[in-house]
């Protein structure tokens, strides 16, 4: 079956020679098996037909374009002559439209992902474009229930096999080669930075920088996520500029579940207490839901160091807010997918307001992440969201 799907993909891409500019969007309906299990295969077929009709309609509005079902739960949309911004906006419209589809039986899709490959000088063949979209799709699946991902321009469409990833990551660990970027979180009214999130980059053998959003999912697959966490934390603490500004770092699930990591972090933070008080560790809401005991233990052991704690990608798991309440975080940051199609989704607006109310109840900061358009900014201001983060406000830049 997998071989047949690969053949279908290659057949689709054979007609892509004239697509010298544009993008390939791979769309995975990740929640479709749950619809089949709960509502029956007939409901799943109805849902799939409706989504295929929807994809065809969107393709018709963005010519020249080709839409196809690749088999199973995957669809594809190949669009010519669009800028990256136009492609991202198209992906957002697709996710918003998919989330709004409901069958007569009441079935809705609670998980979907889009991986985007972009045509360019480094994309000489359809196979390369497909490989880029495939890798972007895998990364999108690690970002939340509704997410899309396109390789950042700084990554120059990096695509590696598993063996090459292992060598590349081990090389970065051995040489301690790491570049730190930062992206501010702004206070909505004054647009003044509240804190800055640190984002790691590693270089490949061609001198290109690869973002953590690309390499960390692969690091988890090859068992190097905990070691990379340690490298990033150590380099971040040693690189903090003078002052009292607060900087956020993400810790992976591998670190939370590793019994030795808390001791290692404690020793590191104890050596530089002034720096420790300027560190905010952020965890994904999935860790709070799936591993609450281990996370509580890590937080309890690190709290005396003076560092702070928070959660990002919040708002996807049904009972995440209940779980997060018990940790009394310093910050709650929503998943970026929640502001896609916000104006047309009362449910998303209600969820953001619920998260904001929880933050007020806990006396912590609520941040809406993923702001990429002026329209989103104005919608969040209408909701009186206190803090914002996104490329529309400031793209990640070097430390």
């Amino acid at each position: 079956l997998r071989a047949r799907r690969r053949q279908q993909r290659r057949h689709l891409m054979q007609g892509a020679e004239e697509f010298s500019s544009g993008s390939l969007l791979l769309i995975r309906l990740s929640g479709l098996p749950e619809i089949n299990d709960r509502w029956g295969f007939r409901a799943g077929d109805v849902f799939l037909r409706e989504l295929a009709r929807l994809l065809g309609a969107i393709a018709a509005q963005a010519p020249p374009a080709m839409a196809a079902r690749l088999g199973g739960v995957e669809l594809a949309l190949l669009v010519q002559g669009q800028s990256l911004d136009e492609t991202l906006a198209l992906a957002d419209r697709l996710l918003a439209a998919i989330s709004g589809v409901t069958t007569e039986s009441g079935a809705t899709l609670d998980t979907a992902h889009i991986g985007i490959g972009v045509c360019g000088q480094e994309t000489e063949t359809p196979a390369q474009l497909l490989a880029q979209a495939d890798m972007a799709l895998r990364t999108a699946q690690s970002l939340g229930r509704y997410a899309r991902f396109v390789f950042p321009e700084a990554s120059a469409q990096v695509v590696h096999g598993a063996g090459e990833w292992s060598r590349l990551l081990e090389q970065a660990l051995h040489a301690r080669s790491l570049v730190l970027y930062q992206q501010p979180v702004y206070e909505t009214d004054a647009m003044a930075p509240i804190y800055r999130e640190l984002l790691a980059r590693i270089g490949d053998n061609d001198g290109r920088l690869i973002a953590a959003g690309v390499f960390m999912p692969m690091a988890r697959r090859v068992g190097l996520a905990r070691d990379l966490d340690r490298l990033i934390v150590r380099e971040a603490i040693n690189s903090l500029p003078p002052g009292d500004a607060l900087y956020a770092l993400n810790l992976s699930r591998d670190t939370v579940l590793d019994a030795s990591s808390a001791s290692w972090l404690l020793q590191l933070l104890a050596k530089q207490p002034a720096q420790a008080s300027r560190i905010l560790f952020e965890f994904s809401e999935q860790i709070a839901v799936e591993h609450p005991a281990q996370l509580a233990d890590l937080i309890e052991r690190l709290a005396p160091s003076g560092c702070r704690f928070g959660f990002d990608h919040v708002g996807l798991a049904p009972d995440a807010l209940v779980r997060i309440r018990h940790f009394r975080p310093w910050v709650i940051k929503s998943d970026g997918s929640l502001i896609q199609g916000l104006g047309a989704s009362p449910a998303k607006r209600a969820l953001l307001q619920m998260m904001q109310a929880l933050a007020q109840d806990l006396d912590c900061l609520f941040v809406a992440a993923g702001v990429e358009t002026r329209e989103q900014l104005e919608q969040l201001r209408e909701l009186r969201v206190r803090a914002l983060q996104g490329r529309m406000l400031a793209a990640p830049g070097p430390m």
Side-chain angles (χ1 to χ4, degrees), residues 309-323:
F309 307 92
F311 292 94
D312 63 2
H313 295 298
V314 177
L316 302 176
D319 59 346
L321 297 185
V322 176
R323 299 275 191 174

Side-chain angles (χ1 to χ4, degrees), residues 5 28-45 47-48 51 69 72-74 107-113 141:
R5 289 180 183 174
R28 178 179 288 273
L29 309 175
S30 308
L32 192 60
E34 284 73 20
I35 289 181
N36 290 334
D37 291 342
R38 180 178 179 184
W39 302 94
F41 285 98
R42 184 177 180 279
D45 289 342
F47 197 93
L48 192 56
L51 289 179
R69 182 185 179 191
V73 297
E74 289 188 1
T108 59
L109 194 74
D110 67 353
T111 313
H113 303 94
Q141 289 178 282

Side-chain angles (χ1 to χ4, degrees), residues 225-399:
R226 186 204 64 173
D227 295 328
L228 282 163
D229 270 354
R230 294 188 178 192
L231 173 63
I232 293 168
V233 172
R234 183 172 54 244
E235 294 301 314
I237 289 179
N238 291 335
S239 302
L240 291 187
D244 57 2
L246 184 66
Y247 290 85
L249 288 166
N250 288 90
L251 291 180
S252 71
R253 177 183 325 206
D254 300 61
T255 291
V256 173
L257 298 182
D258 176 57
S260 66
S261 289
S263 298
W264 183 89
L265 286 167
L266 272 173
Q267 292 176 7
L268 181 67
L269 296 173
K271 294 177 182 178
Q272 303 186 63
Q275 304 292 67
S277 65
R278 300 173 58 196
I279 293 294
L280 163 65
F281 289 119
E282 293 184 344
F283 307 94
S284 73
E285 73 166 18
Q286 285 184 310
I287 298 176
V289 172
E290 297 174 4
H291 307 285
Q294 293 93 328
L295 180 57
D297 179 68
L298 177 65
I299 290 176
E300 182 179 3
R301 294 182 64 185
L302 294 184
S305 71
C307 63
R308 305 176 215 196
F309 307 92
F311 292 94
D312 63 2
H313 295 298
V314 177
L316 302 176
D319 59 346
L321 297 185
V322 176
R323 299 275 191 174
I324 286 173
R325 172 183 290 275
H326 298 296
F327 290 96
R328 303 197 68 83
W330 188 86
V331 63
I332 296 173
K333 184 188 295 183
S334 67
D335 186 79
S337 65
L338 295 182
I339 65 172
Q340 298 169 13
L342 181 61
S345 176
K348 288 184 177 181
R349 293 173 68 90
L351 180 55
L352 287 177
Q353 289 173 322
M354 186 184 305
M355 295 166 65
Q356 187 166 223
L358 173 62
Q360 291 173 348
D361 186 41
L362 297 176
D363 193 25
C364 72
L365 180 68
F366 172 60
V367 179
V371 182
E372 297 185 351
T373 67
R374 173 66 60 177
E375 180 183 17
Q376 292 170 345
L377 174 60
E378 295 306 320
Q379 290 168 346
L380 293 167
R381 280 177 168 164
E382 290 177 6
L383 293 175
R384 301 188 180 277
V385 173
R386 179 183 168 189
L388 307 169
Q389 183 182 25
R391 287 181 172 271
M392 187 263 170
L393 307 173
M399 281 279 284

Side-chain angles (χ1 to χ4, degrees), residues 63-90:
M66 300 164 57
R69 182 185 179 191
L70 302 181
V73 297
E74 289 188 1
L75 307 172
L77 183 63
L78 189 63
V79 184
Q80 181 183 3
Q82 282 198 339
S83 68
L84 179 58
D85 287 343
E86 290 172 328
T87 299
L88 292 175
L90 175 61

